């Protein structure tokens, strides 16, 4: 379901993207080409004044936002997801935030006030708050990074492997396939 926010902003969905009928997308949101937005996803960009130029959510080309994920920004905040990035089942992302190209965010991960570089792999059940993660890093399962421990934890992050990059590519390809199959085969 596509809905306006209180100032009348409506989502803009590329014609090649698939949005599941149970997903709810509200406000100043753009969804790029060949994206897959799964069942029960909520994407909400709150903007309460036309003077607010920041409040928006942009989802790049070829992204997969899996079932039950929530993406949200308050007024005066933005969230940008780069191209070919996978947000896995049940993830919660709260702006302000930026996630780079070709990233993977695992199931039930929570990201708040983050800047994630390109090709970062974040495993399931992790919590990252108020942190900048450099490109091509791997965040282990159940990792917590916040303002209190970020210096120490960031130093321990290893580089992403070629196998993990290949896994992200496989996921991107699968999600591109989902968008095409759900969009065109369900209507047949």
């Amino acid at each position: 379901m596509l809905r306006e926010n209180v100032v009348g902003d409506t989502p803009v969905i590329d014609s090649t993207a698939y949005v599941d009928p149970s997903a709810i997308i509200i406000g100043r949101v753009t969804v790029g080409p060949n994206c897959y937005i799964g069942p029960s996803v909520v994407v909400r960009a709150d903007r309460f004044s036309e003077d607010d130029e920041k409040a928006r959510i942009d989802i790049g080309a070829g992204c997969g936002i899996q079932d039950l994920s929530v993406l949200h920004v308050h007024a005066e905040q933005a969230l940008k997801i780069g191209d070919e990035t996978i947000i896995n089942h049940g993830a919660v992302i709260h702006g302000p935030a930026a996630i780079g190209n070709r990233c993977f965010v695992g199931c039930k991960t929570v990201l708040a006030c983050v800047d994630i570089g390109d090709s970062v792999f974040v495993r399931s059940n992790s919590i990252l708050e108020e942190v900048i993660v450099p490109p091509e890093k791997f965040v282990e399962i159940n990792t917590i990074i916040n303002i209190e421990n970020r210096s120490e934890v960031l130093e321990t992050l290893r580089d992403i492997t070629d196998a993990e990059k290949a896994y992200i590519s496989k996921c991107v390809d699968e999600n591109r396939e989902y968008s095409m199959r759900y969009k065109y085969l369900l209507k047949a």
Side-chain angles (χ1 to χ4, degrees), residues 106 109 120-128 137-145 153 156-159 161 164:
T109 288
V120 170
F121 196 121
V122 181
R123 289 290 308 273
S124 298
N125 294 315
S126 294
I127 301 171
L128 282 65
K137 292 296 180 184
F138 183 86
V139 179
E140 292 288 347
I141 195 167
N142 294 323
T143 297
I144 297 174
I145 306 175
V153 177
T156 67
L157 298 181
R158 66 171 174 79
D159 291 340
T161 65
E164 290 154 352

Side-chain angles (χ1 to χ4, degrees), residues 44-89:
R44 190 176 102 220
D46 288 330
R47 188 166 87 115
F48 301 116
S49 165
E50 291 181 2
D51 296 330
D52 179 355
E53 291 300 318
K54 289 183 183 177
R56 67 179 312 110
I57 297 174
D58 294 310
I59 300 171
C63 290
I65 314 297
Q66 292 289 333
D67 314 22
L68 300 169
S69 292
V70 176
L71 284 60
H72 179 241
V73 295
H74 289 294
E76 299 290 332
Q77 297 178 345
L79 177 112
K80 180 175 179 11
I81 298 176
D83 296 338
E84 299 183 333
T85 287
I86 303 301
I87 308 300
N88 220 335
H89 308 275

